Amino acid sequence: KILVSSFKEFLKVEFENASEEAFGNTIGLLGDFKNGKTLARDGVTVLDDFTELGQEWQVVPADGHIFHESSKPQFPELCIEPEDPRGERARRLEESSISEEQAETACAQLKDPVDRKDCVYDILATQDMDMVGAF
């Protein structure tokens, strides 16, 4: 079962009871299920740059109409690139009003260590304590 949810401007995709039997032959924007490699549409080329990966997997006319509504940008116009999360995070940490300790305290109730780490990152990057609600 695939669960898609959103929180503020963030999208979350979860796979409930994921198994190799169900998802073993899948590749795409979320990567190869078996090994986690982020592959181009050709299924062979490994793309480690997430902006390049997103552009590679932009919906193209051959994919058909997969959404109820079309919004810009549409192929051949490229997707809008996000700000560099690593550079932006470093800049915001210098200007932040929320400390790493405060973010860690807000995320402490999360049991999964990866979720806790992601929660702290999201709070510090957005400067929004409410981001804990995404988890």
Side-chain angles (χ1 to χ4, degrees):
K1 184 175 182 182
I2 302 172
L3 306 169
V4 179
S5 59
S6 64
F7 184 81
K8 298 195 176 191
E9 72 271 16
F10 293 87
L11 183 68
K12 181 178 185 178
V13 179
E14 293 181 277
F15 295 87
E16 191 173 273
N17 301 318
S19 68
E20 190 167 333
E21 181 181 352
F23 296 104
N25 293 323
T26 61
I27 60 167
L29 187 58
L30 298 177
D32 181 308
F33 180 82
K34 291 179 186 175
N35 58 31
K37 290 181 182 176
T38 46
L39 302 172
R41 286 178 180 261
D42 65 10
V44 177
T45 306
V46 176
L47 299 174
D48 292 321
D49 179 280
F50 291 120
T51 300
E52 185 180 357
L53 179 70
Q55 299 292 2
E56 172 71 11
W57 284 98
Q58 180 178 6
V59 177
V60 295
D63 295 330
H65 191 73
I66 61 174
F67 298 103
H68 295 291
E69 297 176 15
S70 295
S71 61
K72 290 192 174 233
Q74 292 292 312
F75 187 84
E77 185 181 350
L78 293 178
C79 292
I80 300 165
E81 290 188 29
E83 295 178 25
D84 176 11
R86 290 177 189 93
E88 187 66 14
R89 179 175 186 232
R91 183 184 66 77
R92 285 189 179 153
L93 284 174
E94 292 170 6
E95 302 169 3
S96 69
S97 60
I98 298 173
S99 71
E100 193 164 350
E101 271 184 1
Q102 290 170 311
E104 287 172 353
T105 299
C107 301
Q109 83 281 2
L110 298 172
K111 294 184 181 358
D112 183 333
V114 174
D115 281 349
R116 271 195 315 274
K117 179 181 168 235
D118 290 344
C119 176
V120 169
Y121 176 89
D122 288 351
I123 288 174
L124 293 174
T126 62
Q127 287 295 287
D128 184 350
M129 293 292 278
D130 291 340
M131 287 304 298
V132 72
F135 299 90

